[in-house]
Amino acid sequence: MGAAMEWGDLKQLDTLIQQTKALGADVEEIGVSGEGRAIYAVSVGDKQATRTVVTVAGLHAAEVIAPLTAISILQTLTENPLPPVRFCIVPVADTDFVSRNANDLPKNVTLQTLLNLNHQRDLEGHFTTDTYPECVAIRQWLEHFDRIDAYFSLHSAHCISPGLFFM
Ligand SMILES: [Zn+2]
């Protein structure tokens, strides 16, 4: 584990999420998508940590680097935990549309195939509304925290550079 992620890993995101359990992460199903797919939150680090960092990836489903980055972060953190911080991450917020994009990927992924991924809706823009059950589930999960010291939402400049991600 901890190896570099590959584009093909988009086809096995749920497996990769479950595998973080074996590395010591807590995997929790926090809700269900509109089409019935599980939405997971994965937490790593000391439960008594004084700092909590929350990250949500995949609110824009075509920005497929974000879920891969989230899982890579989780793998790295399970190997090299930062004692005073607990990291709580939703690796795939829009599981329905991310899986559509993953299904569209051929065996040999090219830049053009990544640029052509087009299953996306604006969960980020509707995050605070009740439009999407995914956003409602994630917001309810966020309410369980006593405090959140930092919050990141992972995105990429999809149409320009699908491999460049930002928060
Ligand atoms: Zn975005």
Side-chain angles (χ1 to χ4, degrees):
M1 299 300 289
M5 306 293 292
E6 294 176 5
W7 296 113
D9 286 330
L10 285 165
K11 294 180 185 289
Q12 52 156 350
L13 290 171
D14 279 359
T15 302
L16 291 166
I17 288 169
Q18 294 301 329
Q19 283 174 352
T20 64
K21 264 191 219 169
L23 302 171
D26 293 325
V27 178
E28 181 189 357
E29 186 178 325
I30 61 167
V32 177
S33 72
E35 294 174 5
R37 292 180 179 84
I39 302 166
Y40 295 105
V42 187
S43 300
V44 295
D46 186 356
K47 286 188 176 108
Q48 311 302 324
T50 52
R51 294 277 183 271
T52 302
V53 175
V54 171
T55 300
V56 177
L59 285 168
H60 285 158
E63 299 165 19
V64 290
I65 189 71
L68 294 176
T69 301
I71 290 170
S72 176
I73 290 170
L74 285 165
Q75 291 173 347
T76 302
L77 287 170
T78 52
E79 288 168 0
N80 310 291
L82 297 170
V85 186
R86 182 137 173 102
F87 290 85
C88 304
I89 300 180
V90 176
V92 192
D94 192 353
T95 55
D96 293 343
F97 277 45
V98 168
S99 70
R100 275 172 216 188
N101 288 319
N103 286 340
D104 282 356
L105 284 181
K107 248 205 172 73
N108 295 311
V109 177
T110 64
L111 178 62
Q112 202 54 48
T113 57
L114 291 168
L115 290 171
N116 286 340
L117 296 177
N118 60 5
H119 301 288
Q120 181 157 301
R121 47 194 181 167
D122 188 16
L123 266 62
E124 183 75 69
H126 292 87
F127 190 68
T128 58
T129 73
D130 293 342
T131 311
Y132 299 108
E134 294 82 356
C135 299
V136 174
I138 294 168
R139 290 206 317 272
Q140 286 173 347
W141 172 70
L142 289 173
E143 285 168 10
H144 289 137
F145 293 94
D146 291 333
R147 57 179 280 173
I148 294 172
D149 296 280
Y151 174 88
F152 300 99
S153 178
L154 302 192
H155 290 266
S156 74
H158 171 63
C159 294
I160 306 162
S161 173
L164 176 72
F165 92 95
F166 60 89
M167 299 186 179

